[in-house]
Amino acid sequence: MIQNQIHHLYLASSQFFFQRKKLSLILFFTIISFLIYGHFVFTGKFTACGDFGPAVSYALNFKESFNNGQWIPRWVIFPRDVTFGGGSIDGTAPTIDSPVFQYYGFLQSALAYPLISIGISAIVSLQLIVIFAFTFSGIVLYAAGRVLGANRVVSFLGGYAYVMSPWLISNFYGRGGISESLGQSALPLILLGYAFAIKSMHNKVIISMALAVFILALSHNIFMLYGVVLCGLLIFSNVILMYLNALYVQVVKCFNIKAYADTQKLNQNVANENIKLQIILAAGVLIGLAASSWQWMPALMTLKELSFSYIGNFDVHNPPSRLADLSGAWSFFPKQFVEPWSGTKREFFFTIGWWTIPGIASLFFAKKGLRIAAFSIFLSFIIFFVLTFLPNIIFPFLPGFFGAIQFTFRLLAFLSVLGSFALCVSFPNMSRNIGAIIFILITISQLPVILFHMPDQQFPDVQYLKGYEYNAFYANSTHEKYLRNWYDGWLDARNILNLSNADNIASYLKITGKTRDNVEKVKIFIAKVGDPAHPVSNVIEVQRGRFQALFQINKPEDGLRIYALSGNTKIDLGASLIRPEEVLLLSDPPASFIPATDLTLDESHGYKRVFSINKNKFNVHQPNHNGLYTIELPVIYNKFSVPSQNGVHLNGEVDFNHRLVVTTHSLSSPIIVRYSLPVTVWLISIFGIIMFCSFVGFSLAQSRWRQLRINFNSTPVTIEC
């Protein structure tokens, strides 16, 4: 009896000690992350440069969308009536409740939602989310090291080195990249999954890899894309090892016939294990992609229709901007970056930490049981190193959508996480003294990065809510019936209309805008490109200030351009004599066109909007000769925003202001717009979620059964006589 009690006391004390160690680890990484990423938490402010403003706007709009009934927010609701800078669609105040398809992932907004809901500002909430995210990443990388068999010292050092990586800190404070920070924090999950694969913990492999891909998909589209690339490289490296083993067997066969049989048997075992490892890793990635397909598939399916579709068709001779030169592999100093869209000069640490290259180089000396992991990490690092610092070598051979990365400095996080993990692979038995020295060196070397802030404009939540709209990615008006209109209201620099092949020949062009302040009068007309002396439309003279002009095109054809004349000089619209705020290309007399301002929003909830014509406008509009009206709906065009009237589907098109346009015979019945995904997308998503939950459930059941067996076997059996 006493023996039984002592045994239970030992188990309880051991479990308590183990729980304290886990709690200490969580507490330590939380404190470290707070000290690094929490400098502005108590101020209620943040540097409003780069992507932080849009992130705050997304978080606030997520709250509006979620409260409106969108359990999976895909329509961003803009509850604001002003805009500043280049944040409007057409230069005018945005229409209230004009839903826009949300291209980016919303994980940071979803995590911030509970904090915002209890009254914490979005600015502070997002900073807290980043702190918790990097706490998570440090712990996961520690766990990956421990799974591989590394001791606590180097496993902790690996997690700490990643959290302290210079680019991660610079990206947060310098760019305000909240969604990128979430993506960066999920990368260690991939390495944890790979560590499980090396140790043949198959269920945990699938769970870790699927969860990594799922989190990346909900955090940042680019990180999901390149996260899958990293997973593929880890799988591909094992394929290479299989061929190397096969080659080794052939060499043995040629020079040592006696040892051939044993070597072939060993190689076959290694090959079988490698194939199993590849299948398990691939299964985890595919389940993660399937479970998150409701997020990334609609974005991929509409990529060519978005205003930034040009980044998916980059010139093979002009790959994404490097901005991080080779000095980033060892440099301790920031590098100046000039924003191409604003000309603003900023300084960033485009570096990966001085410990990264030594950690990767030391993989050559990895112990026998870790050589597979060492080879995979080394190969993956080399590929990402070339993508980051020498993009001209690889990017010309990649599909165009890889150009969505725009700037290769985004890949620095991949190099940092691989370099930090390499410490665990190369030095699994690092002593406390060596670990303490490296810890101190990393801390001291990173202090300049942590303290190097770039204060900029600082706004309260309400201004963030009103100030950012262009990041929602509006529909691309490149259909040949329409001109492209950039987010800031300017027409495309080409300023070309191609009208001869349009389905409905366009006859009218309506421009609302204002002239430059330094001109008294401007004559505006339409003519062939390079031939302004022969207008194909009426010529309208407008006074300085705001104007509205309606042009009838006498001869619709290709290669037309809008020209403006001031004095004796004819220059096209791109020369900024006038600034258009709204441009409508009409195929019918203007009376048959009903703008969004003439509509009333009757119902707005979740994924449904119901519109009707303002009763005061019934007598203003007349149908065209075919009895049709053209209606501009206050919904940003997207192929998944489906309009209908009286249960009949209406064909939707995109207009100059990126809004959804439909044609109908009736103005008496309301028009309903719903967000609707193809059934295939939902089926794939449901399949992925079911598979993921099945593996989680099976893993928990297996773990519980193992614990029951341990308890049963460890319980002393007493026999009473």
Side-chain angles (χ1 to χ4, degrees), residues 168-203:
L168 273 59
I169 300 170
S170 191
N171 173 71
F172 176 66
Y173 286 116
R175 295 186 63 246
I178 305 300
S179 58
E180 290 189 24
S181 294
L182 267 289
Q184 292 163 355
S185 68
L187 294 180
L189 270 173
I190 296 177
L191 299 179
L192 177 62
Y194 184 70
F196 283 135
I198 294 294
K199 296 300 181 179
S200 300
M201 301 178 181
H202 297 153
N203 285 337

Side-chain angles (χ1 to χ4, degrees), residues 113-171:
Y113 175 81
L115 301 177
I116 297 174
S117 298
I118 61 176
I120 300 176
S121 75
I123 300 172
V124 174
S125 297
L126 289 174
Q127 293 178 71
L128 291 174
I129 293 305
V130 170
I131 292 171
F132 296 141
F134 281 118
T135 299
F136 170 81
S137 68
I139 294 171
V140 170
L141 205 53
Y142 170 88
R146 296 293 289 154
V147 169
L148 276 184
N151 63 18
R152 289 187 174 89
V153 173
V154 72
S155 297
F156 164 77
L157 194 62
Y160 178 72
Y162 182 58
V163 174
M164 288 286 279
S165 297
W167 170 243
L168 273 59
I169 300 170
S170 191
N171 173 71

Side-chain angles (χ1 to χ4, degrees), residues 49 166-167 169-171 173-175 333-339 344-350 449 452-454:
C49 57
W167 170 243
I169 300 170
S170 191
N171 173 71
Y173 286 116
R175 295 186 63 246
F333 304 101
K335 180 182 177 182
Q336 190 176 83
F337 168 53
V338 180
E339 291 182 347
T344 303
K345 296 180 180 179
R346 306 185 188 279
E347 290 185 320
F348 297 96
F349 288 85
F350 295 116
V449 183
F452 187 85
H453 298 315
M454 293 172 292

Side-chain angles (χ1 to χ4, degrees), residues 237-315:
S237 63
N238 284 275
V239 175
I240 294 178
L241 283 176
M242 285 180 58
Y243 282 104
L244 291 177
N245 279 325
L247 181 62
Y248 174 70
V249 170
Q250 295 303 317
V251 171
V252 171
K253 180 179 180 181
C254 294
F255 295 98
N256 191 345
I257 302 299
K258 186 177 180 180
Y260 173 66
D262 293 336
T263 305
Q264 187 181 35
K265 183 177 180 180
L266 177 64
N267 180 70
Q268 187 62 44
N269 293 336
V270 172
N272 291 338
E273 188 62 30
N274 271 337
I275 292 173
K276 186 184 296 185
L277 185 148
Q278 295 162 30
I279 293 174
I280 295 298
L281 286 171
V285 174
L286 292 175
I287 289 174
L289 287 173
S292 60
S293 60
W294 52 269
Q295 162 64 29
W296 62 266
M297 283 190 72
L300 181 64
M301 294 167 71
T302 58
L303 183 62
K304 293 184 178 180
E305 299 178 0
L306 300 175
S307 61
F308 67 111
S309 61
Y310 63 91
I311 66 177
N313 300 300
F314 65 89
D315 184 359

